[in-house]
Amino acid sequence: MTTPTIEPLWTVQEVSTYLRVPQSTLYQWRYLRTGPRASRVGRHLRYDPADVRAWLADQAA
């Protein structure tokens, strides 16, 4: 029996690197509600990698 693995949430820096955009752009997209969905974990902003990939795929369509 295999154990399902859960991909860790990404930080703003990791999403910035993945999308190759400045971190300030991610904050602006969040303010304008146009970027990938993010969640607050305590005082930290985190992204689900699946949400980032889905958002990116929607942008290409």
Side-chain angles (χ1 to χ4, degrees):
M1 184 168 147
T2 60
T3 316
T5 58
I6 298 174
E7 191 171 9
L9 298 175
W10 288 351
T11 64
V12 173
Q13 183 178 5
E14 291 169 326
V15 176
S16 172
T17 301
Y18 180 77
L19 296 176
R20 296 184 180 189
V21 297
Q23 291 181 26
S24 59
T25 298
L26 291 174
Y27 289 117
Q28 184 178 24
W29 286 348
R30 181 167 164 79
Y31 176 78
L32 297 173
R33 297 179 185 216
T34 59
R37 185 171 54 164
S39 300
R40 285 255 172 228
V41 179
R43 62 181 210 156
H44 305 283
L45 194 59
R46 295 292 183 257
Y47 292 84
D48 183 336
D51 289 340
V52 175
R53 290 183 188 111
W55 175 83
L56 185 58
D58 287 344
Q59 300 308 302

